[in-house]
């Protein structure tokens, strides 16, 4: 086999190695010099572990998102990070990406038979979808032909006449010069190896509230949301526990899978209890007069429009909002048509004008603990089963959003 053919196979093996690595690739850079007789000389070999600047897969379809095969999504992953997560997942065959839509930037799918132009009333034609490529097979090397050459050499031997051996001449033996005794070299004192610092164990979450979603007792007029005490449904931790994160969760019920969303609090609210945060956002809410939706822009945007940033979510439909808002009205002057803890945005961000009528998923909502219902159109009102709020104790080691 010629060295040109071997170099082609070596290049193919390097491509296969690159295709096989998803998180990190060992790139072997070998420089080979070939002379006129194609005799290779290996000049240098360097092995470097790096994360390559991967090229985006060719666009499969544009103008929408996959109509089937939903697998997972990520709030703000850039295109290459979105593609890398799809490459790491054997179940992922397509991903769609956009940075100019209210939905999550990165959406991953198991299949993509065609595109849909809208998702829950929002135009999604700005997404571009990519298909995971199949690996390219290596070329089959051509067979090597071996040629054997036999060479016969004839050697003619001429007898030599031996020369006489001369008598050896002896040199005087010199007197040895003594070497000085070297000083011993002291062994270096090894530096102590520091013990590794163990990563801190995060504190377990504590429950702040638990109650039936369809109950009317804990709607937005429940006094315990705004004042200390009244520990029925809510716990003492709601009043006193300094927080780093807050999590909203729906219990598992028949015909409904558990959904949750967790927010890391912004620095202005981290280290405070949920009661303290509500008091900051809803001044005067300790009396019923302070809980009336006037329809102002402050009520529409939220009394506090940026309390926390989403950290993780699962099984939420519609998708959870990027930011947690507190005190959000329906966009009109309606006394009680608003939600205390709002975790949706987009077309659902103001309860579609009526939290009760649209059955919008929100905590401390209009007339119910949670007005959401997965069986919309069934005539049932309020979230079936228990809904809960959890909090993670404040820890200065937790990196907060900016």
């Amino acid at each position: 086999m010629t060295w040109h053919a071997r170099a082609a196979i070596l290049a193919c093996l390097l491509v296969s190695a690159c295709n096989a690595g998803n998180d990190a690739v060992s790139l072997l850079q070998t420089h080979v010099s070939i002379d006129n007789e194609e005799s290779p000389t290996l000049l240098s070999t360097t092995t470097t572990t790096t994360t390559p600047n991967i090229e985006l897969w060719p666009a499969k379809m544009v103008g929408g998102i996959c109509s089937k095969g939903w697998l997972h999504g990520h709030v703000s992953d850039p295109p290459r990070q979105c593609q890398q997560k799809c490459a790491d997942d054997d179940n992922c065959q397509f991903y769609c990406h956009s940075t100019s839509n209210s939905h999550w930037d990165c959406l991953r799918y198991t299949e993509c038979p065609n595109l849909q132009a809208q998702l829950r009333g929002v135009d999604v034609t700005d997404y571009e979808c990519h298909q995971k490529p199949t690996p390219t097979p290596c070329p089959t090397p051509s067979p090597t032909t071996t040629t054997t050459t036999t060479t016969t050499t004839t050697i003619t031997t001429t007898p030599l006449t031996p020369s006489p051996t001369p008598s050896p001449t002896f040199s005087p033996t010199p007197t040895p010069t003594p070497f000085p005794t070297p000083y011993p070299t002291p062994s270096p004192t090894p530096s102590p190896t520091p013990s590794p610092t163990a990563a801190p164990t995060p504190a377990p979450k504590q429950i702040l509230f638990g109650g039936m979603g369809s109950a009317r007792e804990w709607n937005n007029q429940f006094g315990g949301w705004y004042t200390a005490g009244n520990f029925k449904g809510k716990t003492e931790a709601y009043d006193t526990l300094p927080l780093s994160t807050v999590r909203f969760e729906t219990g598992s019920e028949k015909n409904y899978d558990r959904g949750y969303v967790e927010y890391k609090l912004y620095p202005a609210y981290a280290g405070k209890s949920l009661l303290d945060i509500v008091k900051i956002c809803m001044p005067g809410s300790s009396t019923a007069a302070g809980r009336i939706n006037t329809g102002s822009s402050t009520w529409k945007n939220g009394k506090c429009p940026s309390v926390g940033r989403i950290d993780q979510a699962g099984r939420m439909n519609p998708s959870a909002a990027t930011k947690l808002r507190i005190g959000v009205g329906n966009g009109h002057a309606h006394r009680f048509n608003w939600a205390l803890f709002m975790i949706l945005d987009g077309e659902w961000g103001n309860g579609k004008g009526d939290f009760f009528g649209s059955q919008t998923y929100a905590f401390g909502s209009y007339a119910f603990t949670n007005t959401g219902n997965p069986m919309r159109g069934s005539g049932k009102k309020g979230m079936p089963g228990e809904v809960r709020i959890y909090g993670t104790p404040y820890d200065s080691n937790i990196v907060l959003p900016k």
Side-chain angles (χ1 to χ4, degrees):
M1 181 189 300
T2 66
W3 282 102
H4 289 294
R6 293 178 182 175
I9 293 176
L10 176 59
C12 180
L13 292 175
L14 290 174
V15 170
S16 298
C18 291
N19 288 336
N22 295 321
D23 297 319
V25 176
S26 295
L27 178 60
L28 180 64
Q29 299 174 329
T30 306
H31 304 280
V32 177
S33 173
I34 302 176
D35 57 20
N36 292 333
E37 290 78 23
E38 297 188 354
S39 175
T41 303
L42 186 63
L43 298 182
S44 63
T45 300
T46 304
T47 300
T48 305
T49 300
T50 180
T51 301
N53 184 12
I54 60 175
E55 295 183 1
L56 293 180
W57 300 332
K60 178 66 177 179
M61 291 175 282
V62 296
I65 62 175
C66 297
S67 61
K68 291 178 61 179
W70 166 252
L71 181 62
H72 210 294
H74 309 277
V75 176
S76 57
D77 282 358
R80 286 177 172 81
Q81 187 173 348
C82 181
Q83 176 173 298
Q84 189 63 47
K85 289 183 177 178
C86 185
D88 292 344
D89 190 343
D90 292 339
N91 294 322
C92 181
Q93 298 300 320
F94 293 83
Y95 75 90
C96 300
H97 192 276
S98 172
T99 58
S100 58
N101 201 281
S102 62
H103 289 295
W104 291 356
D105 292 356
C106 174
L107 309 174
R108 297 194 281 117
Y109 299 85
T110 60
E111 59 178 318
C112 194
N114 49 49
L115 298 182
Q116 64 183 57
Q118 285 196 339
L119 178 62
R120 293 190 291 276
V122 177
D123 183 274
V124 291
T125 57
D126 53 337
Y127 279 84
E128 182 176 278
C129 300
H130 300 255
Q131 182 179 12
K132 180 184 290 184
T134 56
T136 304
C138 295
T140 303
S142 57
T144 302
T145 303
T146 304
T147 303
T148 304
T149 303
T150 304
T151 303
T152 304
T153 304
T154 304
I155 301 175
T156 303
T157 305
T158 303
L160 300 177
T161 303
S163 300
T165 301
S167 301
T169 302
F170 297 98
S171 300
T173 303
T175 303
T177 302
F179 291 97
T181 303
Y183 291 101
T185 303
S187 301
T189 302
S191 302
T193 302
S195 301
T197 302
T201 302
K205 293 179 176 59
Q206 297 187 28
I207 188 165
L208 309 180
F209 170 83
M212 296 300 293
S214 58
R216 295 178 179 270
E217 182 175 359
W218 299 291
N219 60 30
N220 57 23
Q221 298 301 305
F222 171 53
W225 294 128
Y226 314 99
T227 58
N230 203 347
F231 300 125
K232 183 179 180 182
K234 81 168 191 177
T235 68
E236 187 175 351
Y238 178 95
D239 293 352
T240 61
L241 181 66
L243 301 173
S244 288
T245 71
V246 60
R247 175 187 178 109
F248 299 88
E249 183 176 292
T250 303
S252 180
E253 282 290 317
K254 185 177 180 181
N255 300 325
Y256 188 72
D257 292 328
R258 176 177 298 175
Y260 71 92
V261 58
E262 185 168 324
Y263 294 92
K264 279 187 178 180
L265 298 177
Y266 284 105
Y269 304 100
K272 296 179 173 59
S273 70
L274 195 52
L275 174 61
D276 291 336
I277 295 172
V278 169
K279 285 182 176 180
I280 293 172
C281 297
M282 304 283 293
S285 58
S286 58
T287 63
R291 307 173 203 151
I292 297 176
N293 171 20
T294 63
S296 66
S297 59
T298 301
W299 272 101
K300 183 175 182 180
N301 297 328
K303 291 282 192 173
C304 284
S306 298
V307 177
R309 183 172 180 82
I310 191 170
D311 184 52
Q312 55 179 303
R315 300 184 182 274
M316 290 289 295
N317 185 17
S319 300
T322 303
K323 294 182 179 181
L324 169 64
R325 295 182 293 160
I326 289 182
V328 180
N330 67 338
H332 309 288
H334 192 295
R335 292 170 60 88
F336 306 125
N337 206 330
W338 59 279
L340 180 59
F341 300 107
M342 190 58 195
I343 57 179
L344 299 179
D345 54 14
E347 63 176 328
W348 298 90
N350 295 100
K352 288 189 170 183
D354 183 358
F355 283 85
F356 181 90
S358 64
Q359 298 175 304
T360 297
Y361 188 95
F363 283 69
S365 191
Y366 173 34
F368 293 101
T369 309
N370 190 316
T371 42
N373 192 302
M375 296 157 42
R376 294 184 179 88
S378 64
K380 296 182 179 180
K381 302 293 183 180
M383 177 62 65
E386 187 177 11
V387 295
R388 293 178 287 272
I389 304 176
Y390 292 93
T392 300
Y394 177 74
D395 185 347
S396 59
N397 293 317
I398 294 179
V399 179
L400 300 174
K402 296 181 180 180

